[in-house]
Amino acid sequence: MSSGHLERIERHLRSQGFEHFGFAEITTPFSIDLYEQWLEEGLHGEMEFLVRHKVDKRDPRDHWTRARSAIVVTQDYVPHPAPLENWPLKNGARVAAYARGRDYHRFLHNKLRALAAALSEEFPGEEFVSFADAGPVLERDLAARAGLGWVGKNTCLLDRKRGSLFFLGEIYTSLELPIARIANEDLQKDFCGTCTKCIDACPTGAIVAPRKLDARKCISYLTIETRDPAPIPLREKMGDWIFGCDVCQTVCPWNVKAKGPETIAALEPSTSREDLIHDLRFILESPNRHLERVFAATPLARVNGLGLKKNALVAVGNRGVRELRSEAARFLDHPRLSELATWTLMKLEQEPL
């Protein structure tokens, strides 16, 4: 492909607002053996879709036979690119930064589909298939091969200028793009150095080794992926996170440098106890259908109303919010949350008056 063709692709990328992007060859991921070992060790927990996807991740061209290259993009989410009007929470309870707005699976995928459609018109007869964290793609591996960063010790893709607070998206294409080959040994180099802040700061010890996450211990997994309450030893370390977790990213010096300490500090929850009570009461008292309606356009919809209540009960217990004792007691006879409600009330009894 000529440089003129590449310029046409880059023009379309920028027209969709993508300024940080790269290109990679569709081939066997350099980290596939480590990924499959991670699955064999059961560190993925209940996320069985990851097991089902591993064949397509190892050999992408077995599924997408015409795929030759990948266009990889990033989209910053601090500040959030698609804020939700009338956000019902007051930032008292913790929500991961990426989830404090509209669902990126939707708005990022819409942008990528529009880009794919424009490229299809630009290059008739070629194929373009888009993904936004919803397909069998080893995204961080692909992004590293596209020159967009390295996989940090917290397992996130890191860029020295942008940190890691961004989404990843991809387009597989039949085009043979001019790609700078990166040796596997170079892909495994990083700029984390001797820093272990992410490992040390993880509340549940989920980063069991550099670049190795035990998802079963991760607060994001415990608040999103699993429907059951966390085991008590982990539950007591989850703080007041009601959806996701940002700790391993907000302590990262590269994010502090990229965004500035004031921006990173602003991601912390409100220090007002009234705001915390408001958020947790809103979740515990609202009918499930109401919660699902108000959060329908956001990532929080993934856990539905019952999942948010599960997470809120944990936060009530951990933060000792005695003001919500009666709200928690309403779940003592709940078929799925009774044990958790009992634990929450026991925690509240331990709080000094």
Side-chain angles (χ1 to χ4, degrees), residues 78-97:
V78 175
H80 202 283
L84 185 72
E85 295 180 9
N86 301 318
W87 182 254
L89 303 179
K90 294 186 175 182
N91 196 32
R94 291 176 181 245
V95 174

Side-chain angles (χ1 to χ4, degrees), residues 102-158:
R102 296 188 178 277
D103 190 348
Y104 68 98
H105 292 93
R106 299 183 185 183
F107 71 78
L108 180 55
H109 200 186
N110 287 341
K111 289 177 65 174
L112 289 168
R113 281 189 293 188
L115 175 60
L119 291 173
S120 294
E121 291 186 8
E122 185 82 25
F123 301 97
E126 303 290 353
E127 290 186 5
F128 300 88
V129 182
S130 59
F131 305 93
D133 192 33
V137 181
L138 280 181
E139 293 188 304
R140 288 163 294 180
D141 185 296
L142 199 60
R145 286 191 283 122
L148 299 183
W150 77 97
V151 178
K153 291 179 182 177
N154 61 2
T155 76
C156 296
L157 189 82
L158 276 164

Side-chain angles (χ1 to χ4, degrees), residues 82-261:
L84 185 72
E85 295 180 9
N86 301 318
W87 182 254
L89 303 179
K90 294 186 175 182
N91 196 32
R94 291 176 181 245
V95 174
Y98 78 87
R100 300 179 196 177
R102 296 188 178 277
D103 190 348
Y104 68 98
H105 292 93
R106 299 183 185 183
F107 71 78
L108 180 55
H109 200 186
N110 287 341
K111 289 177 65 174
L112 289 168
R113 281 189 293 188
L115 175 60
L119 291 173
S120 294
E121 291 186 8
E122 185 82 25
F123 301 97
E126 303 290 353
E127 290 186 5
F128 300 88
V129 182
S130 59
F131 305 93
D133 192 33
V137 181
L138 280 181
E139 293 188 304
R140 288 163 294 180
D141 185 296
L142 199 60
R145 286 191 283 122
L148 299 183
W150 77 97
V151 178
K153 291 179 182 177
N154 61 2
T155 76
C156 296
L157 189 82
L158 276 164
D159 176 80
R160 285 185 288 177
K161 292 183 179 179
R162 293 172 172 81
S164 65
L165 296 167
F166 50 72
F167 305 118
L168 290 173
E170 304 81 32
I171 292 179
Y172 281 4
T173 176
S174 55
L175 288 171
E176 295 273 5
L177 299 179
I179 295 164
R181 303 293 177 119
I182 303 175
N184 281 359
E185 56 268 24
D186 291 331
L187 283 168
Q188 296 176 49
K189 293 180 180 179
D190 67 73
F191 298 90
C192 292
T194 59
C195 178
T196 59
K197 287 188 176 182
C198 57
I199 298 173
D200 300 336
C202 179
T204 57
I207 307 174
V208 294
R211 301 169 193 83
K212 188 173 185 179
L213 178 75
D214 186 343
R216 300 166 300 180
K217 296 180 179 180
C218 178
I219 292 175
S220 288
Y221 174 88
L222 295 170
T223 57
I224 301 172
E225 299 295 343
T226 180
R227 297 295 185 253
D228 297 322
I232 291 176
L234 290 176
R235 191 184 302 171
E236 294 178 336
K237 299 176 181 179
M238 292 170 62
D240 52 13
W241 288 100
I242 60 169
F243 190 92
C245 180
D246 287 326
V247 172
C248 69
Q249 296 195 83
T250 54
V251 300
C252 176
W254 289 111
N255 277 320
V256 176
K257 181 179 179 180
K259 298 297 182 182

Side-chain angles (χ1 to χ4, degrees), residues 273 313 316-326 328-329 332 340-353:
R273 188 171 181 83
L313 284 170
V316 169
N318 282 335
R319 290 294 301 272
V321 188
R322 294 177 64 93
E323 295 90 336
L324 298 181
R325 189 183 188 286
S326 61
L332 286 172
L340 180 56
T342 300
W343 173 86
T344 299
L345 293 171
M346 290 180 61
K347 291 280 289 184
L348 295 182
E349 290 302 319
Q350 297 170 5
E351 288 295 313
L353 294 174

